[in-house]
Amino acid sequence: MIEERFDAIVVGAGMAGNAAALTMARRGMKVLQLERGEYPGSKNVQGAILYADMMEKLVPEFREEAPLERHLIEQRFWMMDDRSHVGMHYRSDDFNEERPNRYTIIRAQFDKWFSSKVREAGVTLLCETTVTELVRGERERIVGVRTDRRDGEIHADVVVLAEGVNGLLGTRAGLRARPRPDNVALAVKEMHFLPRETIEARFNLRGDEGVVIEAAGTISRGMTGMGFIYANKECISLGIGCLVADFQRTSQTPYGLLDQFKRHPSVAPLIAGSEVKEYSAHLIPEGGYKSIPQLYGEGWVVVGDAAQLNNAVHREGSNLAMTSGRIAAEAIGLVKSRGEPMSAANLSIYKKMLDDSFVIKDLKKYKDLPPLMHTQSQNFFLTYPQLISKAMQNFVRVDGTPKAEKEKATLKSFVRARSWTGLFGDACRFARAWR
Amino acid sequence: MNVESLVRVEDKLYYNRYLVDIGHPHVKVRAHTTPSPQLLALLKACPARCYELNDDGQVEITVDGCIECGTCRVIAEPTGDIEWSHPRGGYGVQFKFG
Ligand SMILES: Cc1cc2nc3c(=O)[nH]c(=O)nc-3n(C[C@H](O)[C@H](O)[C@H](O)COP(=O)(O)OP(=O)(O)OC[C@H]3O[C@@H](n4cnc5c(N)ncnc54)[C@H](O)[C@@H]3O)c2cc1C
Ligand code: SF4
């Protein structure tokens, strides 16, 4: 198929792969990018919120060109029980700024556009090509890839593994472990279409203003998980995800959870009368800092979800993917400009640069949170939401009961459910993990 | 309340676009007489309900509706119960929105 030799091969045309390929091509490197989908984005699923800062570093003019949905002026957090939600809303007109900070996007469309910028920069992209194996040379060095196209191997000085959360190639080659059920969440998602005016009226929006809702509570039936509702121009992205280990343990079905979430009295009116046009599912890396694998080796680096670089606490992933892709490419560019080989020792600069970035700093900050949430899921996702909802109802309902009595009853229900030591312990553990 | 019985996953899959690679299933179940707990878990955990129990009590897979999430790989590849690969280039689910 391809006789020529490349400076770099990038596996995957998602956020991380596109960032890496673009950055290397702009530094004059000869880059081949391989994508198994019919077009970039055809295999990718996201909520999806795009963080402008990280995108701007790659394509400064993206606001004028990219297919963006709505810029976010409001964020809602919902703590849900079966019939109610306790919410916190943050809405600010400051977000109606000239260069908005966050947008909703539709991944399949966005990736197609992002990829057009990558090709403009000179990258050779081959779609409909699944990479089946990494090719090793002397001293276990990765020297290229094998694809499912007929004509065999393609060689390059370095392979950038941007293959996403499943990361088949890296795990098959023994470069890192397979994702574990307690390290990844399964999210299912639907796209609900409604007239633009209906969405704006239901979410209290004008023009291209947008809002996102993150929801937790009994909707995950005691499993570690979250739901989300994001307003796009003419559709609503709605989904829910839980740890795979929890699905395995509880025998809950993903579509059962999604359906229940959609029927919730706080959610149903938002999507009433909509036409569903897609049902998708995808894994999300949730292991955090402690699950980050070896990031580089002889002739290879790994970026994005394949390296578990995903901040589940803040629901950030694509920005970490873009940033790690860009930084890996800059590191490779440095090694190349010195005329040195793509050895593990030389590529270790990628890790140093990443350690200095927000990517690793943020993941390190929350290193204890994923295990805490996973072992305490019953309390955080079932007991507390129910208690908080009951307390709120008690607080707002006017029924002739003296206020002091109400407060006492609320306190008692907390203590009965978790005991004083339990409550204190949970609070301390949470505070420590958050710090 | 049994929500599951009310949800028809098959109907959801009709929204999606697929290019089925006939004769080349990308996920296979190892032959077995009695299914392992991991294989049984897939009956519920697979979001496209690709796994089903046949009349002999064995777990079978039909990959046509697979949305390529990898959940079954994470659960049942370590035990050797299934073999999991990506579909050949260009085949499988083609998301329009994602
Ligand atoms: C439901 C959901 C909601 C999310 N919400 C948000 C959000 O709001 N904001 C946010 O920032 N992040 C969010 N994320 C996380 C974000 O989607 C990921 O972190 C990001 O997509 C990772 O980018 P990536 O390039 O590493 O991987 P991907 O985007 O998964 O790209 C990997 C690419 O590699 C290709 N590929 C894989 N293997 C091969 C192979 N062998 N041969 C050829 N090609 C291959 C795939 O087809 C794919 O195109 C969400 C994720 C999910 C699932
Ligand atoms: S990859 Fe996902 S959708 Fe496909 S069979 Fe496995 S669990 Fe089901």
Side-chain angles (χ1 to χ4, degrees):
Chain A
M1 163 174 60
I2 293 193
E3 299 294 323
E4 54 200 301
R5 202 190 152 79
F6 290 87
D7 291 327
I9 292 173
V10 177
V11 182
M15 291 292 195
N18 281 337
L22 180 74
T23 307
M24 288 190 288
R26 287 209 185 128
R27 289 174 168 244
M29 292 175 64
K30 199 168 152 185
V31 182
L32 174 69
Q33 189 180 24
L34 302 165
E35 167 57 48
R36 66 190 189 87
E38 187 178 55
Y39 54 86
S42 62
K43 299 292 183 183
N44 301 342
V45 179
Q46 194 182 323
I49 304 173
L50 176 79
Y51 302 95
D53 175 72
M54 293 80 192
M55 191 66 226
E56 213 171 345
K57 288 201 165 71
L58 292 157
V59 185
E61 69 282 11
F62 83 94
R63 288 189 180 85
E64 289 85 66
E65 295 184 7
L68 303 171
E69 291 292 312
R70 293 175 179 276
H71 67 275
L72 297 179
I73 61 149
E74 182 174 338
Q75 170 106 33
R76 305 181 188 170
F77 297 99
W78 284 2
M79 176 71 93
M80 303 177 87
D81 79 350
D82 291 344
R83 299 174 52 76
S84 68
H85 75 265
V86 180
M88 191 179 87
H89 295 196
Y90 182 66
R91 182 181 176 111
S92 173
D93 198 35
D94 288 351
F95 290 125
N96 280 316
E97 56 209 327
E98 192 143 318
R99 300 149 75 78
N101 177 257
R102 301 184 304 160
Y103 297 88
T104 49
I105 55 165
I106 292 173
R107 262 303 286 275
Q109 296 167 3
F110 185 87
D111 285 11
K112 239 189 204 170
W113 167 81
F114 195 177
S115 173
S116 73
K117 302 304 285 184
V118 174
R119 276 170 295 145
E120 264 171 41
V123 171
T124 307
L125 169 70
L126 276 184
C127 286
E128 306 194 327
T129 309
T130 301
V131 180
T132 51
E133 219 181 330
L134 297 175
V135 179
R136 285 186 196 269
E138 273 171 42
R139 279 182 284 117
E140 294 296 286
R141 192 192 161 82
I142 304 295
V143 295
V145 300
R146 212 164 276 135
T147 74
D148 62 354
R149 294 200 176 206
R150 207 173 297 137
D151 326 316
E153 306 176 5
I154 318 169
H155 290 173
D157 294 340
V158 62
V159 176
V160 178
L161 291 163
E163 51 177 334
V165 58
N166 277 313
L168 208 60
L169 295 171
T171 60
R172 273 190 189 160
L175 305 181
R176 69 187 111 90
R178 183 193 292 115
R180 291 198 327 250
D182 58 346
N183 267 348
V184 285
L186 165 65
V188 283
K189 180 189 164 193
E190 283 178 358
M191 291 301 255
H192 288 256
F193 281 75
L194 283 163
R196 207 187 151 122
E197 313 79 66
T198 310
I199 294 182
E200 282 156 21
R202 285 183 189 176
F203 286 90
N204 190 18
L205 303 167
R206 283 173 315 179
D208 284 349
E209 291 175 343
V211 46
V212 293
I213 305 173
E214 313 284 358
T218 61
I219 48 166
S220 66
R221 302 187 193 165
M223 303 190 278
T224 303
M226 290 254 273
F228 61 90
I229 302 167
Y230 297 168
N232 302 313
K233 278 192 180 127
E234 287 172 351
C235 62
I236 295 168
S237 310
L238 179 149
I240 184 162
C242 294
L243 266 198
V244 170
D246 283 351
F247 278 119
Q248 195 178 349
R249 180 174 55 82
T250 59
S251 299
Q252 298 280 357
T253 64
Y255 35 87
L257 282 192
L258 183 66
D259 205 60
Q260 197 187 37
F261 185 45
K262 278 160 55 181
R263 285 162 194 266
H264 191 283
S266 299
V267 178
L270 293 175
I271 52 167
S274 67
E275 187 194 349
V276 181
K277 292 201 182 167
E278 195 165 84
Y279 170 65
S280 59
H282 205 275
L283 296 179
I284 309 177
E286 299 247 326
Y289 184 74
K290 291 176 177 166
S291 67
I292 300 173
Q294 176 70 28
L295 292 170
Y296 61 90
E298 295 292 333
W300 61 273
V301 294
V302 57
V303 294
D305 275 8
Q308 291 260 341
L309 300 174
N310 199 301
N311 184 344
V313 181
H314 283 260
R315 307 215 116 204
E316 293 175 25
S318 67
N319 53 334
L320 280 68
M322 281 187 264
T323 305
S324 60
R326 176 177 59 77
I327 290 179
E330 285 168 359
I332 290 168
L334 269 176
V335 176
K336 183 162 170 69
S337 67
R338 292 195 208 117
E340 290 182 4
M342 297 292 164
S343 63
N346 286 331
L347 289 171
S348 68
I349 188 171
Y350 161 45
K351 179 165 186 308
K352 282 199 205 85
M353 289 162 72
L354 201 65
D355 281 345
D356 281 339
S357 72
F358 83 95
V359 174
I360 299 294
K361 284 184 181 157
D362 281 359
L363 290 176
K364 210 169 189 171
K365 172 174 177 347
Y366 294 119
K367 66 183 187 316
D368 295 322
L369 214 52
L372 174 65
M373 287 295 167
H374 303 169
T375 49
Q376 299 276 322
S377 63
Q378 286 282 333
N379 291 326
F380 285 118
F381 295 94
L382 209 56
T383 313
Y384 284 132
Q386 282 166 336
L387 288 170
I388 288 167
S389 164
K390 217 180 277 158
M392 274 312 286
Q393 180 153 146
N394 219 6
F395 187 79
V396 294
R397 198 187 273 280
V398 177
D399 57 5
T401 317
K403 303 295 180 212
E405 259 174 56
K406 284 192 168 204
E407 277 168 27
K408 223 160 126 192
T410 298
L411 189 64
K412 232 168 146 181
S413 65
F414 271 79
V415 178
R416 203 181 308 126
R418 280 297 288 143
S419 85
W420 278 112
T421 40
L423 284 172
F424 186 69
D426 289 347
C428 289
R429 275 190 289 269
F430 189 77
R432 213 178 306 128
W434 191 269
R435 196 179 50 207
Chain B
M1 180 183 58
N2 185 356
V3 187
E4 272 69 55
S5 59
L6 302 174
V7 187
R8 283 185 38 95
V9 185
E10 298 75 11
D11 294 344
K12 288 184 189 292
L13 301 180
Y14 273 115
Y15 307 135
N16 298 344
R17 194 177 143 237
Y18 293 96
L19 239 148
V20 180
D21 193 359
I22 298 161
H24 290 98
H26 60 283
V27 186
K28 290 179 191 148
V29 176
R30 184 176 59 175
H32 58 278
T33 37
T34 328
S36 67
Q38 284 78 8
L39 264 185
L40 287 173
L42 303 184
L43 300 172
K44 297 279 185 145
C46 168
R49 206 189 269 161
C50 293
Y51 292 87
E52 261 169 342
L53 218 49
N54 69 16
D55 294 340
D56 298 328
Q58 288 140 6
V59 174
E60 281 181 354
I61 181 168
T62 314
V63 295
D64 297 8
C66 172
I67 22 189
E68 298 168 31
C69 65
T71 301
C72 58
R73 175 189 180 218
V74 170
I75 294 176
E77 198 188 52
T79 51
D81 281 312
I82 65 166
E83 267 177 52
W84 197 93
S85 293
H86 294 300
R88 288 197 296 168
Y91 286 102
V93 71
Q94 312 289 341
F95 292 125
K96 278 191 303 243
F97 308 106

